[in-house]
Amino acid sequence: ILLKSSMTNRIQDIVRAELNLSVLSPGVWRPRNLQPDKVVGALEGVSISDLKRKGIEAIVIDYDGVVVPYHFRGEPKSEKIQSMIELAKQFEICILSNRKGNLLTSLEDALPSFKVISSDRMKPHRKPYLAALGHLGTTPQKTALIEDRLVTGTSGGKQVGMYTIWVTPPESMGKEPFNVRAYRLIEETALSIYEKLGLTQQDKKNIAKDGQLLIDLHFHLGKKINLTDAIDRLRNSVDV
């Protein structure tokens, strides 16, 4: 009974973390908001010197997909913690997450030295980002946001004026949940349409190519998108 109750609570936490109506906001899908300022292959690839040159004084870091695999409950890998420590030596740092309930508690337990921001409104709503800025005491123009998702991550940061860094999750993060991969498919499709309409100005030379599902689609490598193939790949990647 206890095991069943624990599993039920975990499922509820995951659903609460992913049931997100803020993604329906028109501002989230504006072409300029879906284009991050920088793309890196992992948290360890974030350049301190580059951020310093841009006048960045503080950093807001997403947790799932950037520091740990999605819904992971243990401690982050040592290289991730070391990267955060190195960043914290140079900038004010906080974690911004959509986690709720026990998932949020496990995050706070795993990183007791870092302030974790969680809002009653979920990213990409403006409120969580403004809460993080309020804690850090910085302006959006002097704050960088590190996220692994566009729609529920960097887009919200763009809307409040933050410098956005998109981490393309490496395979070491493990297989992503279906809903995350579905979001990525939607993001890639939207970006492909925008590019065909001449609405994007993405510098493909700066795009990291070491991702997993859908990373080799049109927006990343400049190839013609094949939605049928993309959908088949998404379907085949789901655990049955």
Side-chain angles (χ1 to χ4, degrees):
I1 294 176
L2 291 176
L3 179 60
K4 183 177 180 180
S5 176
S6 176
M7 286 297 294
T8 300
N9 290 337
R10 183 172 185 181
I11 292 171
Q12 289 176 341
D13 289 341
I14 292 173
V15 170
R16 289 167 64 193
E18 297 300 341
L19 188 59
N20 190 349
L21 298 181
S22 296
V23 299
L24 301 179
S25 170
V28 171
W29 297 94
R30 288 175 182 157
R32 66 176 180 271
N33 290 336
L34 280 181
Q35 298 176 76
D37 296 300
K38 182 74 174 179
V39 182
V40 298
L43 178 62
E44 300 91 304
V46 175
S47 171
I48 290 176
S49 59
D50 283 351
L51 294 178
K52 286 288 188 179
R53 281 195 293 270
K54 294 181 182 299
I56 298 299
E57 298 178 356
I59 302 177
V60 178
I61 304 176
D62 181 31
Y63 192 60
D64 290 290
V66 174
V67 182
V68 298
Y70 272 82
H71 308 145
F72 183 74
R73 290 172 178 263
E75 291 188 1
K77 291 183 177 180
S78 59
E79 60 265 27
K80 300 296 181 184
I81 294 179
Q82 187 59 41
S83 293
M84 295 180 68
I85 291 174
E86 292 302 318
L87 290 172
K89 291 178 181 178
Q90 303 293 329
F91 309 96
E92 294 294 321
I93 298 285
C94 75
I95 306 294
L96 181 60
S97 176
N98 275 346
R99 285 193 176 201
K100 305 294 180 185
N102 291 334
L103 284 174
L104 178 61
T105 301
S106 68
L107 189 170
E108 294 169 332
D109 291 342
L111 295 174
S113 300
F114 293 89
K115 174 65 176 178
V116 178
I117 305 294
S118 179
S119 172
D120 59 329
R121 299 301 296 269
M122 298 177 68
K123 299 181 290 182
H125 193 277
R126 295 167 59 91
K127 189 173 180 179
Y129 302 97
L130 295 177
L133 291 170
H135 166 74
L136 294 169
T138 56
T139 63
Q141 294 74 21
K142 294 183 178 181
T143 307
L145 172 69
I146 304 175
E147 287 271 3
D148 75 300
R149 286 160 73 171
L150 300 178
V151 169
T152 58
T154 59
S155 179
K158 278 281 193 176
Q159 290 183 79
V160 299
M162 302 168 79
Y163 178 77
T164 57
I165 301 173
W166 182 32
V167 174
T168 57
E171 293 182 4
S172 59
M173 279 293 186
K175 199 170 188 178
E176 294 179 323
F178 172 77
N179 63 292
V180 176
R181 284 173 276 158
Y183 265 119
R184 296 202 191 283
L185 175 60
I186 295 171
E187 292 169 351
E188 296 294 338
T189 302
L191 289 167
S192 177
I193 292 172
Y194 292 158
E195 186 165 356
K196 289 177 181 178
L197 294 175
L199 298 177
T200 63
Q201 299 295 325
Q202 185 68 46
D203 179 6
K204 295 181 180 61
K205 292 182 180 179
N206 292 330
I207 292 295
K209 299 175 183 177
D210 53 340
Q212 52 178 56
L213 188 70
L214 304 179
I215 292 303
D216 61 338
L217 288 182
H218 176 65
F219 179 62
H220 290 279
L221 301 182
K223 296 179 181 178
K224 183 178 180 181
I225 189 169
N226 186 327
L227 290 183
T228 301
D229 178 64
I231 292 171
D232 286 340
R233 291 177 61 196
L234 181 61
R235 184 184 298 115
N236 293 334
S237 68
V238 178
D239 292 325
V240 179

